[in-house]
Amino acid sequence: MEHMPWGKKLTLALTVGLLSLVIFSGRSARAQEGAQIKPFVLVIFDVSGSMSGSTGQGPSSCGGTDSRLDHAKCAIQQVMDAHADINFAMGRFRADPTTGCANCRETVGFSCSACNTNNGSGCTAAMKSADRLQVLVPFVEDSNDAIHTWTDFSCGGATCSLNPANNPEIILPGGSSFTPLGGSLRGARRFFQGNDTNVSGADDLDSIYGAGVDDPIGSDPLNTTFIAAGQQCRPYIVILLTDGAETCERFDIAASTDDTLGAAGALLSTPYAGTGLSYRIETKPIGFGLTNPDTQIEALAHAGGALDVAGSEGFYANSELELVSAFNQIIADSILVEVCDGVDNDCDGNVDEGFQLFCDVQGGNPTANLCTDPGDVCNGVDDNCADGIADEVLNACGQCGAVPTETCNFSDDDCDGVVDEDGIGGGAGSLCNGCVPVGNEICNGADEDCDTRIDEDVADQPCGTDLGVCVAGTEQCIAGSFQNCTATGGSTEVCNGLDDDCNGVIDGFVQQCNVLPGNNPPFDGPCQPGFQICDALPAPAAGNSFGACQGEIGPVNESCDLADNDCDNSVDEDTGGASCGSACGNGTTVCTAGVLECDVGGNTGTDEECNNFDDDCDGVIDENVPAPVPNTCDEGGTLCIPGILQCIGGAFVCTGGELPGIEICDCLDNDCDDAVDESPPALCPNGSSCVDCQCAFPCQPGEFPCPSGQICSPDNFCLADP
């Protein structure tokens, strides 16, 4: 609440009771221009015994059990968190669990049994009085935090108390408990009038929050605006949360002044002493666990200010989620919204802002303050002051006067969307012998302009490209299609400093090469050709040639490994015949199935090792020798993909794997250095850059910045058109 004297702050806990939310809601008075008007909301909880009943929805979301009371406590926490910009206060039915009757003020004596008979006809005046409301948290700064302490299921390790200054928590008081709806509403009216002596007396809230908390209207800075202008500008609303019917007085649907409905009606005209003014405080009842519609909830909503519309005016909830939704709807309905009615509805100092306002020069009103457009006749004068536009009332062609007559001129003269119709029923084109003009002539073998000629005056269109050695030309419209292109095309790219294939790239291509002795096609065994790149130097630069041969694999000496090492289309030839010996004796090596074996006869020996000897004298050399652990190798870091160690020729040899290649612009790690398309080595021809996995040249100035089939990227490079 703006500028209210808050006094010292204290975090309080919310006591369960009938939740009555009062929002101070101004509808007409003008507040400080541009300032947001915060509604004032008073919350009163129903603490009758029926609030211990189950909702059937399971435990509440923030702690506690499946009771209406615990779900209501969690719901109010969510509402407080979601609407931190709303000023909230909170109250409950006054109760003293130490007495025999829970809803009786301890200082007032009466018969509790009479409160629940004949619809309250036996109630004493005390049970209908404003003392039935106990204000727990007044309108103070950070009241949301105080309300949380009443609903957090915690009493600070001590016994829960109904005293706001000592371990507060909303609990059911026990014993007999009734539902004094009318008394709580009278208490709300007395509180806003600044006449609740309990706030500054027995309940001692002023000592907790400071002076002024017992006078919400008098402490409201907008009250001075009301006094000066005679208009209320802050919304005041009471939300009444109950799960039962009135049990302490008459509930007269005929709206007698001395009953519950009369208490709600009195809030709509709440006088404030010394001003001669009355404030509108609306009552919004929520039936928790009641069937929609409920007779008493609907009657209370009507008496509390709700308009009589189709459907229910009260609010209903059967779960915690529905209860939160009901609170949110009430708060949303309290927002001040400007409408076009000549009144400052949202109290921002402006009237009908955001709406188009009109004058009525024809009717004699020259001021732009009408919400409805009176019209603007075709007279050259801005009769309705609509943004300075004159003569909005025009014919179909946007002109004053009669609609033009349609003629056969291939135009829509009367602006009806049909060209050259006769207006008698003959249909489109009836003024032009059935032909319906559709536009200018194009090359398609049709008469678009209905002049009996086909494809006349269709201009030649460009074809081909001027990129590289190519020369653009033109083509003619013949028989409904463009033909006879005069352009000069390209040819296969060669290493000559020219763009022979007219793709925007000069040379820069790759070809195979083989320079190692004995490495000639056809390539047998492991032998492979290399590759070399043509330098990209634009003509007439000299010296265009292919670079060094890279990646070539040539022949080596044959070894006993089931591979054609010397690439002569023979495997393991001439690899045996050497003298050998071991513990088994002396013999001659023999290449068998890719393994050199020492043939020493039938002698026995030791376990086989990788030493080019037949250690176990079985006629086989180095068979089944256990591999080292780990069994991987990278040839000193030269392999791109690791190989494995195999026993070959008496020693473990790294076999398999893959050597690194030359990095080229293709978004792949060709040289296996964990980087993609890095440079050096050069990836692209001179003048181009590696962009989006392709060698691209910068875009050129002019109408055609890139060759045909390419587009200019946002980074100013010519890339293949996807």
Side-chain angles (χ1 to χ4, degrees):
M1 165 173 183
E2 296 91 336
H3 310 299
M4 174 176 280
W6 303 119
K8 61 182 179 179
K9 295 165 56 178
L10 178 65
T11 302
L12 299 179
L14 177 62
T15 302
V16 179
L18 176 61
L19 177 60
S20 189
L21 173 62
V22 177
I23 303 175
F24 285 147
S25 176
R27 291 296 189 270
S28 303
R30 177 172 300 177
Q32 181 179 359
E33 185 170 354
Q36 179 181 3
I37 306 301
K38 297 181 179 180
F40 283 4
V41 177
L42 170 66
V43 177
I44 305 173
F45 261 79
D46 183 343
V47 290
S48 62
S50 59
M51 286 293 286
S52 64
S54 171
T55 68
Q57 303 294 320
S60 55
S61 65
C62 63
T65 65
D66 179 22
S67 68
R68 294 192 186 107
L69 174 59
D70 288 353
H71 281 291
K73 290 162 69 173
C74 292
I76 196 62
Q77 289 188 37
Q78 298 178 52
V79 173
M80 299 297 105
D81 294 339
H83 299 285
D85 58 338
I86 304 297
N87 289 320
F88 288 99
M90 187 183 68
R92 60 182 291 276
F93 296 160
R94 184 178 297 277
D96 182 3
T98 63
T99 67
C101 187
N103 285 330
C104 301
R105 183 172 172 82
E106 61 272 15
T107 59
V108 179
F110 63 94
S111 174
C112 295
S113 61
C115 292
N116 211 17
T117 62
N118 300 324
N119 197 22
S121 61
C123 288
T124 66
M127 281 305 292
K128 300 189 295 182
S129 75
D131 286 336
R132 292 309 96 221
L133 172 68
Q134 181 182 18
V135 177
L136 302 175
V137 180
F139 291 108
V140 293
E141 186 177 7
D142 295 333
S143 62
N144 293 5
D145 292 339
I147 292 174
H148 266 286
T149 63
W150 284 94
T151 59
D152 60 3
F153 301 94
S154 172
C155 299
T159 302
C160 291
S161 170
L162 298 180
N163 186 343
N166 181 26
N167 303 321
E169 181 67 20
I170 292 186
I171 56 176
L172 292 178
S176 300
S177 57
F178 302 106
T179 311
L181 304 183
S184 66
L185 294 178
R186 294 184 185 92
R189 190 172 193 244
R190 183 178 67 178
F191 170 59
F192 284 113
Q193 290 175 314
N195 297 326
D196 189 348
T197 58
N198 293 317
V199 175
S200 58
D203 295 328
D204 201 22
L205 296 184
D206 59 342
S207 66
I208 298 174
Y209 296 104
V213 299
D214 57 342
D215 189 8
I217 294 179
S219 300
D220 184 357
L222 291 185
N223 186 36
T224 58
T225 302
F226 194 0
I227 295 174
Q231 294 178 321
Q232 178 180 343
C233 200
R234 189 188 298 280
Y236 303 163
I237 296 180
V238 176
I239 299 179
L240 183 61
L241 176 66
T242 179
D243 70 339
E246 172 71 72
T247 59
C248 292
E249 64 178 289
R250 290 172 53 84
F251 195 100
D252 193 345
I253 298 179
S256 169
T257 57
D258 187 22
D259 64 7
T260 303
L261 296 184
L267 277 167
L268 295 176
S269 182
T270 298
Y272 187 74
T275 65
L277 303 174
S278 293
Y279 289 78
R280 180 180 177 85
I281 304 175
E282 298 182 0
T283 301
K284 306 292 184 182
I286 300 178
F288 195 11
L290 302 181
T291 301
N292 181 9
D294 178 80
T295 301
Q296 290 200 11
I297 292 295
E298 291 301 301
L300 194 57
H302 283 294
L307 297 177
D308 188 4
V309 297
S312 300
E313 280 73 54
F315 296 84
Y316 300 88
N318 288 289
S319 66
E320 182 179 321
L321 180 62
E322 292 178 358
L323 187 56
V324 171
S325 177
F327 278 121
N328 287 336
Q329 185 61 54
I330 294 172
I331 294 173
D333 291 343
S334 71
I335 297 175
L336 305 182
V337 179
E338 190 73 11
V339 296
C340 192
D341 58 358
V343 177
D344 181 15
N345 308 99
D346 56 4
C347 293
D348 64 352
N350 300 310
V351 176
D352 295 341
E353 71 276 10
F355 293 91
Q356 168 70 58
L357 298 179
F358 305 91
C359 68
D360 186 5
V361 176
Q362 295 292 321
N365 173 26
T367 304
N369 60 1
L370 300 181
C371 292
T372 303
D373 186 355
D376 189 1
V377 298
C378 213
N379 59 1
V381 178
D382 183 11
D383 299 290
N384 61 355
C385 306
D387 297 330
I389 301 174
D391 299 336
E392 292 108 44
V393 181
L394 304 173
N395 60 31
C397 294
Q399 302 170 348
C400 291
V403 177
T405 301
E406 190 77 7
T407 61
C408 183
N409 58 1
F410 318 128
S411 299
D412 182 14
D413 304 287
D414 55 5
C415 307
D416 64 353
V418 183
V419 176
D420 293 345
E421 79 281 7
D422 61 9
I424 304 175
S430 60
L431 292 177
C432 301
N433 298 321
C435 181
V436 180
V438 295
N440 296 326
E441 202 74 12
I442 60 176
C443 185
N444 63 353
D447 182 13
E448 283 82 14
D449 55 8
C450 297
D451 64 353
T452 70
R453 296 180 296 166
I454 295 176
D455 296 346
E456 80 281 3
D457 301 327
V458 176
D460 295 348
Q461 70 176 16
C463 62
T465 179
D466 286 325
L467 193 65
V469 301
C470 296
V471 179
T474 59
E475 54 187 356
Q476 300 174 324
C477 179
I478 301 174
S481 64
F482 284 101
Q483 304 177 31
N484 299 340
C485 180
T486 62
T488 301
S491 59
T492 302
E493 191 78 9
V494 296
C495 190
N496 58 0
L498 299 175
D499 182 9
D500 303 287
D501 56 5
C502 306
N503 67 348
V505 179
I506 299 175
D507 297 342
F509 59 92
V510 177
Q511 73 174 16
Q512 287 187 351
C513 58
N514 53 294
V515 298
L516 296 176
N519 192 27
N520 299 314
F523 298 98
D524 298 319
C527 295
Q528 295 293 333
F531 65 91
Q532 54 189 169
I533 302 175
C534 175
D535 293 334
L537 298 176
N544 279 71
S545 62
F546 287 97
C549 190
Q550 306 175 59
E552 182 182 11
I553 302 176
V556 296
N557 292 333
E558 191 76 13
S559 61
C560 183
D561 57 2
L562 294 179
D564 184 12
N565 310 98
D566 55 5
C567 304
D568 63 353
N569 207 24
S570 296
V571 177
D572 295 349
E573 76 276 9
D574 302 327
T575 55
S579 297
C580 60
S582 67
C584 303
N586 296 322
T588 303
T589 59
V590 178
C591 182
T592 303
V595 178
L596 279 176
E597 303 172 348
C598 188
D599 185 6
V600 295
N603 296 335
T604 60
T606 61
D607 292 338
E608 196 72 14
E609 298 180 6
C610 184
N611 54 11
N612 207 27
F613 290 106
D614 182 16
D615 301 289
D616 56 4
C617 304
D618 63 354
V620 182
I621 297 175
D622 294 345
E623 83 282 1
N624 300 324
V625 176
V629 179
N631 189 25
T632 59
C633 55
D634 63 357
E635 292 287 52
T638 61
L639 289 180
C640 183
I641 298 178
I644 61 174
L645 295 171
Q646 290 184 332
C647 183
I648 300 174
F652 283 103
V653 178
C654 187
T655 62
E658 183 177 319
L659 291 169
I662 300 300
E663 192 72 13
I664 60 176
C665 182
D666 58 0
C667 286
L668 299 176
D669 183 13
N670 310 101
D671 55 4
C672 301
D673 63 352
D674 293 331
V676 175
D677 293 351
E678 75 277 8
S679 180
L683 299 177
C684 292
N686 290 339
S688 64
S689 301
C690 185
V691 180
D692 290 345
C693 309
Q694 55 188 293
C695 292
F697 284 88
C699 302
Q700 300 300 314
E703 183 179 0
F704 301 101
C706 294
S708 177
Q710 295 183 341
I711 59 174
C712 187
S713 72
D715 296 330
N716 202 39
F717 283 98
C718 290
L719 302 178
D721 188 345

